[in-house]
């Protein structure tokens, strides 16, 4: 199924943007793992809409309701199921989109794929609203990874043409990330907010890049070929609506380097093998090497904009002008920061579970 992810854990995402609820099931989680509900809610609130000038005015509490899998604050071994109920929908804003698809959105491809039976309200199952249950699963996995000494932090690397400071790829400065607007350089953050405000004023939108650092990873996680760390992470990251590119370490910049420049020399530090640089982003041959794992995900501008755009009437077979109504983010990147962390946490905890099972067989 396209809405299911994982090999050792099984995550399924369900619901539509304007349905009664969105939710997730998470199977394969061992019993006895603790859950901090206050910490989980704080994580979900970072993604929740309607909190500031750079997000959609749609307000949702994003408070998860657990239906199974937890007892007295611990996992009980049964599949974990949770829903987030919808409370602030305006489905009438989307009534025209089955006949006149939005440029840049999945309206047209969904119409072709599902023959008109898809739910167009708010984007249906293609909506960024589906990242809310992804963050439930990811928020839980982040807590369980922290108990293993693994920390996951992300920041806004770029919005439009404005760039933040990059992570130090040997010692990511995660403690410097702002809380209100997650950047390392407050001055860059002000320019980013101005770019978002200008796009909103013009009825337009802007995209950007999220950079994520995973620290505390042991060497040896991942597999060669199709089970590699990059592939497992890329699969779930590309499941986030609007992600159009993913790179690890130096990424595409490595293509312009010499081998002598790109190779990370090995050294010994405190009795452990380390690298002097980290162009590989903490991954060699699909397997973690013990250095910080660094990746970046590029997000396209929000396709739902209020400026007139050229589309077609599918029923009449002719061109027409579309003006999109409804409540939309002029830039999804700030709210995508915790989503990138959640996706990384799920993929890495899945690998941890596989590593644990392999060690038990030895």
């Amino acid at each position: 199924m396209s809405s299911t992810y994982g090999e050792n854990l099984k995550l399924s995402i369900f619901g539509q943007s304007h349905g009664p609820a969105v939710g997730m099931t998470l199977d394969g989680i061992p019993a006895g793992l603790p859950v901090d509900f206050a910490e989980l809610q704080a994580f979900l609130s970072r993604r929740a809409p309607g909190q500031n000038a750079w997000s959609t005015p749609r307000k949702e509490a994003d408070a998860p309701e657990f239906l199974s899998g937890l007892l007295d604050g611990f996992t009980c071994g049964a599949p974990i199921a949770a829903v987030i109920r919808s409370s602030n929908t305006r489905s009438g804003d989307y009534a025209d989109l089955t006949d006149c698809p939005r440029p840049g959105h999945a309206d047209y491809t969904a119409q072709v794929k599902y023959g008109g039976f898809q739910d167009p309200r708010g984007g249906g199952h293609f909506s960024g609203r589906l990242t809310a249950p992804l963050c439930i699963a990811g928020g839980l996995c982040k807590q369980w990874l922290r108990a293993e000494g693994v920390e996951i932090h992300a920041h806004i690397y770029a919005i439009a043409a404005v760039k933040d400071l990059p992570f130090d790829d040997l010692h990511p400065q995660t403690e410097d990330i702002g809380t209100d607007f997650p950047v390392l350089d407050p001055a860059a953050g002000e320019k980013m907010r101005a770019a978002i405000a200008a796009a909103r004023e013009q009825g337009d939108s802007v995209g950007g890049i999220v950079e994520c650092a995973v620290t505390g990873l042991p060497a040896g996680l991942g597999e060669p070929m199709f089970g590699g760390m990059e592939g497992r992470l890329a699969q779930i990251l590309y499941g986030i609506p609007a992600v159009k590119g993913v790179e690890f370490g130096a990424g595409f910049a490595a293509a312009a380097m010499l081998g002598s420049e790109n190779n990370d020399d090995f050294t010994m530090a405190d009795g452990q093998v380390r690298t002097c640089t980290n162009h590989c982003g903490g991954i060699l041959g699909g397997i973690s090497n013990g250095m910080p794992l660094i990746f970046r995900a590029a997000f396209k501008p929000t396709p739902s904009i209020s400026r007139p755009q050229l589309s077609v009437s599918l029923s009449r077979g002719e061109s027409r002008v579309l003006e999109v109504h409804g409540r939309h983010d002029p830039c999804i990147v700030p709210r995508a920061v915790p989503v990138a962390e959640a996706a990384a946490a799920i993929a890495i905890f899945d690998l941890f579970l596989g590593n644990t099972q392999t060690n038990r067989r030895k």
Side-chain angles (χ1 to χ4, degrees):
M1 291 177 59
S2 65
S3 300
T4 299
Y5 173 86
E7 294 187 9
N8 306 291
L9 58 77
K10 292 293 182 183
L11 169 67
S12 292
I13 301 291
F14 61 86
Q16 296 99 251
S17 179
H18 285 204
V22 293
M24 66 97 209
T25 60
L26 188 60
D27 200 0
I29 304 301
L33 299 180
V35 174
D36 185 325
F37 293 101
E39 180 181 331
L40 177 62
Q41 184 59 66
F43 180 69
L44 293 171
S45 294
R46 291 171 56 197
R47 193 222 69 95
Q51 303 185 85
N52 44 57
W54 50 86
S55 72
T56 170
R58 176 180 176 179
K59 290 183 178 292
E60 296 284 1
D62 279 8
E65 177 184 339
F66 286 92
L67 308 178
S68 67
L70 302 180
L71 182 65
D72 298 329
F74 291 86
T75 59
C76 66
I80 301 169
V83 296
I84 293 176
R85 302 196 183 275
S86 299
S87 61
N88 187 11
T89 61
R90 289 195 337 211
S91 300
D93 292 334
Y94 300 86
D96 192 33
L97 299 182
T98 51
D99 183 61
C100 187
R102 287 168 289 181
H105 210 286
D107 298 333
Y108 171 67
T109 51
Q111 176 78 10
V112 174
K113 177 78 174 178
Y114 299 111
F117 290 99
Q118 76 280 3
D119 185 349
R121 303 169 302 165
H125 195 61
F126 296 88
S127 170
R129 181 77 182 138
L130 275 296
T131 60
L134 182 78
C135 282
I136 298 176
L140 294 172
C141 290
K142 277 193 69 172
Q143 294 184 24
W144 301 329
L145 284 170
R146 186 179 301 116
E148 301 289 338
V150 177
E151 295 281 352
I152 301 174
H153 298 279
H155 72 113
I156 302 169
Y157 179 73
I159 285 178
V162 183
K163 284 191 174 181
D164 190 19
L165 297 171
F167 275 139
D168 181 321
D169 57 8
L170 293 176
H171 305 285
Q173 58 277 38
T174 57
E175 68 280 357
D176 296 335
I177 300 173
T179 53
D180 179 49
F181 196 79
V183 291
L184 297 171
D185 179 9
E190 287 298 325
K191 293 178 182 178
M192 291 176 183
R193 283 193 284 260
I196 296 172
R200 181 195 284 275
E201 187 69 24
Q202 296 164 9
D204 220 324
S205 62
V206 289
I209 301 171
V210 172
E211 184 178 50
C212 186
V214 184
T215 57
L217 269 182
L221 282 180
E223 305 287 343
M225 298 293 289
F226 307 118
M229 179 76 77
E230 293 107 326
R232 300 277 283 274
L233 279 164
Q235 181 187 4
I236 192 167
L237 287 167
Y238 278 119
I240 301 171
V243 169
K244 300 300 288 185
V246 176
E247 65 176 5
F248 297 87
F252 281 93
M257 295 180 182
L258 295 171
S260 56
E261 296 171 316
N262 183 62
N263 292 346
D264 300 306
D265 290 344
F266 287 108
T267 187
M268 296 300 298
D270 300 323
Q272 294 183 313
V273 176
R274 290 290 183 260
T275 59
C276 299
T277 53
N278 193 16
H279 298 130
C280 69
I283 306 170
L284 290 169
I287 301 170
S288 61
N289 69 355
M291 299 298 291
L293 192 163
I294 308 289
F295 71 82
R296 286 168 293 280
F299 289 80
K300 69 180 181 181
T302 312
S304 295
I305 58 176
S306 59
R307 296 181 64 169
Q309 300 175 87
L310 186 62
S311 184
V312 295
S313 167
L314 297 176
S315 63
R316 296 195 298 270
E318 61 187 31
S319 296
R320 58 162 287 191
V321 174
L322 173 67
E323 293 187 21
V324 176
H325 303 288
R327 300 164 295 176
H328 308 284
D329 294 82
C331 180
I332 65 169
V333 177
R335 294 176 58 209
V337 170
V339 181
E341 294 177 6
I346 294 163
I348 291 169
F349 193 66
D350 186 31
L351 287 166
F352 258 86
L353 290 176
N355 201 49
T356 300
Q357 292 168 6
T358 299
N359 290 337
R360 285 174 178 168
R361 289 194 293 267
K362 291 180 180 179

